[in-house]
């Protein structure tokens, strides 16, 4: 046990000694300090205005309330045997220690406060000054409060029920809300604030500050803050924390994700404001709330189709069923689904193109190329969807797949795709109509001159096909460049559809065009006022069409005639008229020149006379 040592006499009149500044001063926190038994405390002490070496020594003493005059030595920076018997074992174990911050500043640390640690703490600095000037010690009172903080999992049922002895295991569907409650209370006699936070540890990980990731917390000043990975979800409104009543706290995680799985804890911390205005944590406790598993939609979503491989004839209806299965949350606030059918021609890679679909709102739509057809996509049972084509066509043959997508709702009803699944391929065969078309085209008269009307005829022959087959024919031209066909695609000049309605395209020469049906299977194209720009290679393109009971049309066959060259010839008189015009123009120019010269000379001589 170390000796107390002599203390300096009381401070005398500094002015008599001629000293007005630079006296030693020992500073400790302003008291009283309130801390809770079982928790840690750190009390700082520093000295200023001293003489002597830069490294000063410090000694700590305790004056207990039951013996306010007896100083108990706690720990010293200069004597390892300084501690009294009541503190010796705790100092040896490192539970009580003095830590030097710098030469003239230290901190007294007590790891676990005991009730008998309450009292007046004195920080004393042995003198290194030439004269005793100033204060050589500072005192602060510490009051040790009993631990009154309680924290536990809030029961999910009505209030008053006890929470289960062991943490429950909760199963939450992806996209659903995860709601957890916590009860935190204290009956400390002093005015304190509670801070409550919810944290998550990864499944099977040991619980500790290093493994516990804060999700969201309520600070002593009632501010709500989230851990770094959850800050964006808090700002978006997907993460909420509220206080219900005086001691119940509730956290809600909207749109649960796979990463939200883990063991959830509630941590309650009790804070008190020290006399210097700073806040100090005086107690902390943690309780396990639940082990949470998140069932992802991707692990549950499954799609099956029926009734199996289909073989139908053209014009017959085609019905396909799609069933979505799995342990899925119902459509509503947290989840939504879309279902569609895709078709790929036989032998084509990939899932193919969209035929029809129902979106998350139940609104149907058709894919590109299916507009105008009688196709229905509807929900016929809780998770069964039907695709119906009123009149199938040979082009509808191929491999069909049903595609289902699952979405979860975030803040503001925002949807996020969480999973998708495709069914096995379902082959569909549609019998061909067996229509064979042939076309022969020619230029009437064989030769056509500029300014005349060019008539192109197209005769069509048909073999096979159902009754009521309709024919259409269109005329196309390919331009010539330096005697060779241009690389530009063929240009529509005109045609007559299967309903008898004429369609006019663009004539190269820009003049009038006539298209007409001159016989049951004979079409004619006339180019009026033929010009040199109309030169090109023309062809006729017939097509066969079938109309089903739903009044939709589909093309059952097509063909293309051979090329017909149109060259606007020039008349013989035109070839003679051009040189004549050139000669006449040249003669007139020479005559005008001679006449001008004679007139000029005559006028000059007349002027002289």
């Amino acid at each position: 046990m170390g000796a107390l040592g002599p203390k300096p006499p009381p401070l005398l009149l500094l002015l008599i000694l001629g000293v007005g500044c630079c006296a030693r001063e020992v500073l400790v926190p302003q008291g009283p300090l309130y801390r809770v038994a079982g928790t840690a405390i750190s009390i700082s002490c520093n000295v200023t205005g001293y003489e002597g070496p830069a490294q000063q020594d410090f000694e700590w003493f305790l004056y207990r309330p039951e013996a306010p005059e007896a100083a108990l030595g706690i720990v010293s920076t200069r004597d390892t045997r300084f501690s009294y018997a009541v503190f010796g074992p705790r100092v040896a174990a490192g539970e009580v220690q003095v830590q030097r911050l710098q030469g003239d500043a230290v901190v007294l640390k007590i790891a676990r406060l005991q009730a008998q640690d309450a009292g007046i703490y004195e920080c004393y600095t042995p003198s290194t000054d030439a004269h005793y000037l100033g204060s050589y010690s500072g005192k602060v009172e510490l009051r040790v409060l009993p631990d009154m903080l309680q924290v536990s999992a809030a029961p999910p049922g009505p209030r008053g029920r006890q929470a289960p002895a062991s943490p429950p295991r909760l199963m939450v569907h992806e996209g659903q809300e995860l709601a957890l409650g916590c009860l935190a209370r204290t009956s400390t006699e002093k005015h304190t604030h509670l801070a409550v936070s919810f944290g998550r540890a990864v499944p099977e990980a040991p619980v500790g500050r290093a493994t516990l990731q804060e999700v969201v917390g309520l600070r002593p000043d009632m501010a709500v803050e989230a851990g770094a990975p959850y800050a964006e979800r808090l700002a978006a409104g997907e993460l909420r924390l509220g206080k219900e009543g005086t001691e119940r706290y509730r956290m809600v995680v909207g749109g649960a994700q796979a990463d939200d799985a883990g063991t959830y804890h509630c941590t309650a911390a009790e804070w008190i404001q020290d006399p210097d205005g700073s806040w100090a944590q005086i107690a902390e406790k943690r309780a396990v709330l639940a082990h949470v598993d998140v069932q992802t939609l991707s692990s549950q979503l499954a799609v099956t189709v029926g009734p199996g491989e289909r073989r139908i004839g053209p014009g017959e209806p085609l019905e396909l069923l799609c069933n979505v299965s799995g342990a899925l949350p119902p459509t509503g606030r947290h989840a939504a689904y879309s279902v569609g059918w895709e078709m790929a021609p036989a032998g084509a890679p990939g899932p193919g193109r969209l035929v029809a679909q129902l979106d998350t709102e139940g609104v149907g739509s058709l894919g590109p190329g299916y507009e105008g057809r009688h196709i229905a996509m509807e929900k016929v049972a809780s998770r069964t969807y039907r695709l119906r084509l009123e009149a199938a066509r040979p082009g509808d043959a191929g491999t069909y797949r049903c595609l289902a997508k699952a979405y979860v709702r975030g803040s503001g009803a925002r949807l996020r795709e969480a999973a998708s699944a495709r069914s096995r391929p379902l082959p569909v065969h549609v019998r061909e109509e067996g229509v064979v078309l042939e076309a022969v085209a020619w230029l009437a008269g064989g030769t056509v001159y500029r300014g005349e009307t060019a008539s192109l005829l197209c005769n069509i022959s048909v073999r096979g096909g159902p009754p009521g087959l309709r024919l259409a024919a269109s005329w196309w031209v390919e331009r010539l460049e330096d005697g060779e066909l241009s690389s530009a695609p063929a240009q529509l000049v005109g045609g007559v559809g299967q309903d008898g309605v004429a369609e006019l395209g663009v004539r190269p020469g820009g003049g009038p065009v006539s298209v007409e049906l001159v016989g049951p299977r004979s079409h004619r194209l006339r180019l009026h006022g033929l010009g040199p720009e109309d030169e090109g290679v023309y062809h006729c393109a017939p097509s066969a069409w079938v109309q089903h009971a739903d009044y939709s049309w589909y093309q059952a066959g097509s063909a293309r005639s051979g090329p017909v060259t149109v060259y606007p010839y020039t008349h013989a008189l035109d070839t003679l008229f051009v040189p004549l015009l050139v000669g006449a123009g040249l003669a007139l120019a020479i005559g005008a020149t001679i006449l001008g010269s004679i007139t000029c000379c005559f006028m000059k001589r007349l002027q002289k006379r």
Side-chain angles (χ1 to χ4, degrees):
M1 180 177 67
L4 182 60
K7 291 189 179 182
L11 183 63
L12 300 178
L13 295 175
L14 299 180
L15 294 177
I16 297 177
L17 295 175
V19 179
C21 65
C22 302
R24 176 184 290 259
E25 183 178 11
V26 177
L27 302 175
V28 293
Q30 183 180 352
L33 303 177
Y34 293 89
R35 297 296 183 266
V36 171
T39 63
I41 187 173
S42 297
I43 305 177
S44 62
C45 177
N46 67 289
V47 60
T48 61
Y50 56 87
E51 297 177 353
Q55 181 161 309
Q56 295 287 297
D57 283 312
F58 296 83
E59 295 174 349
W60 284 91
F61 299 89
L62 170 62
Y63 298 87
R64 287 177 172 172
E66 63 271 17
E69 301 299 328
L72 303 178
I74 304 174
V75 69
S76 169
T77 59
R78 65 174 179 175
D79 187 357
T80 58
R81 297 177 300 171
F82 178 83
S83 305
Y84 274 43
V86 292
F87 290 104
R90 298 172 69 184
V91 172
E95 183 181 332
V96 177
Q97 59 177 309
V98 60
Q99 179 181 346
R100 186 180 292 277
L101 302 179
Q102 57 188 38
D104 54 7
V106 296
V107 60
L108 172 66
K109 291 187 173 183
I110 303 176
R112 285 178 295 275
L113 282 175
Q114 302 174 5
Q116 58 267 31
D117 291 331
I120 304 295
Y121 283 77
E122 180 183 28
C123 176
Y124 170 69
T125 59
S127 176
T128 59
D129 306 330
H131 304 281
Y132 285 110
L133 299 176
S135 65
Y136 286 78
S137 67
K139 294 182 179 180
V140 58
E141 182 182 4
L142 171 65
R143 298 180 183 178
V144 180
L145 304 173
D147 186 1
M148 306 301 290
L149 179 63
Q150 298 178 16
V151 59
S152 63
R159 299 195 180 193
R161 293 178 53 187
Q162 294 295 321
S166 61
R169 181 168 291 275
L170 302 180
M171 176 67 71
V172 180
H173 289 288
E174 182 178 7
Q176 286 187 323
E177 281 188 351
L178 169 62
L180 295 173
C182 174
L183 295 177
R185 67 174 73 90
T186 183
S187 54
T188 303
E189 62 182 17
K190 301 303 294 183
H191 177 70
T192 59
H193 287 190
L194 286 185
V196 177
S197 66
F198 290 78
R200 182 187 68 89
V202 296
E204 311 305 329
V207 179
R209 289 188 177 273
T211 60
L212 192 62
Q213 170 66 58
E214 184 184 32
V215 178
V216 65
L218 185 67
R219 306 300 184 233
D221 59 357
M222 304 304 291
V224 177
E225 296 180 1
Y230 297 89
E232 185 175 344
R233 296 172 72 176
L234 178 65
E238 296 180 8
L239 175 63
R240 304 187 300 276
L241 174 61
K243 185 176 182 181
E244 302 174 348
T246 59
E247 58 189 39
R248 187 184 182 100
Y249 300 82
R250 187 169 184 264
M251 176 191 71
V252 177
V253 181
Q257 304 174 10
D259 293 340
D260 293 330
T263 302
Y264 282 79
H265 302 257
C266 176
T267 302
E270 189 172 7
W271 293 74
I272 194 168
Q273 192 172 27
D274 285 338
D276 63 359
S278 63
W279 286 90
Q281 180 179 315
I282 61 175
E284 180 181 280
K285 288 186 179 179
R286 182 179 297 114
V288 179
L289 302 181
H291 304 291
V292 176
D293 296 318
V294 178
Q295 192 173 68
T296 61
L297 294 176
S298 60
S299 67
Q300 297 297 315
L301 184 63
V303 183
T304 56
V305 292
E309 186 173 359
R310 299 294 309 279
R311 296 181 181 274
I312 59 175
E316 296 179 4
L318 171 64
E319 282 193 3
L320 302 176
L321 295 177
C322 174
N323 186 65
V324 180
S325 61
L328 304 171
T331 300
R333 261 187 6 168
H334 307 301
Y337 304 91
S338 69
V339 177
W341 281 92
E342 300 171 327
M343 190 278 286
R353 63 176 181 171
L354 178 67
V355 179
Q357 72 171 357
L358 284 178
D359 64 15
T360 55
E361 301 296 329
V363 178
S365 61
L366 300 180
Y370 291 91
E371 301 89 344
R373 294 187 58 182
H374 287 71
I375 299 176
M377 179 74 182
E378 56 186 340
K379 186 176 182 180
V380 295
S382 174
R383 293 183 179 177
T384 303
Y385 301 81
R386 179 175 63 191
L387 171 69
R388 179 180 174 88
L389 282 69
E390 292 295 336
R393 305 174 180 179
D396 295 327
T399 300
Y400 286 73
R401 288 180 175 86
C402 181
L403 171 64
K405 295 182 179 180
Y407 300 83
V408 295
R409 295 188 187 275
S411 61
R414 176 175 53 89
L415 290 176
R416 173 181 62 85
E417 182 178 335
S420 64
R422 279 188 175 87
S423 70
R424 62 174 178 84
L426 177 62
V428 173
H429 307 276
V430 182
R431 188 175 60 252
E432 294 282 350
E433 291 286 1
V435 178
V436 179
L437 296 181
E438 292 182 356
V440 178
W442 70 94
L443 177 64
T447 303
V448 63
Y449 292 91
R450 296 182 184 180
E452 295 181 348
T453 297
S455 295
L456 287 83
L457 297 173
C458 178
N459 283 347
I460 306 169
S461 61
V462 183
R463 295 196 305 274
L469 190 71
R470 297 284 188 91
L471 295 179
S474 57
W475 293 92
W476 301 79
V477 62
E478 297 173 275
R479 304 298 301 277
L480 296 173
E481 293 181 359
D482 300 328
E484 301 290 337
L485 284 177
S486 170
S487 59
Q491 184 177 354
L492 176 66
V493 180
V496 176
Q498 72 273 14
D499 53 1
V501 177
E503 178 186 5
L504 297 181
V506 178
R507 176 181 166 183
V513 176
S514 298
V515 288
E516 53 191 332
L517 184 65
V518 295
R521 296 179 179 177
S522 181
H523 290 254
R524 179 171 64 186
L525 168 69
R526 291 194 294 178
L527 306 175
H528 304 278
L530 199 66
E533 296 85 359
D534 295 317
E535 180 182 355
V537 177
Y538 291 73
H539 70 266
C540 171
S543 56
W545 294 82
V546 177
Q547 188 176 32
H548 290 308
D550 63 352
Y551 301 104
S552 64
W553 292 92
Y554 83 93
Q555 185 175 317
S558 63
R560 173 174 172 165
S561 72
V564 179
T565 301
V566 175
Y567 179 79
Y569 285 91
T570 305
H571 289 282
L573 291 178
D574 294 339
T575 59
L576 296 175
F577 186 64
V578 171
L580 179 61
L581 290 178
V582 173
L586 183 60
L588 288 175
I590 295 174
T593 303
I594 295 174
L595 182 59
S597 300
I598 294 175
T599 303
C600 179
C601 294
F602 175 76
M603 293 301 294
K604 287 182 179 180
R605 298 186 64 179
L606 183 61
Q607 184 179 6
K608 289 181 179 180
R609 294 183 60 182

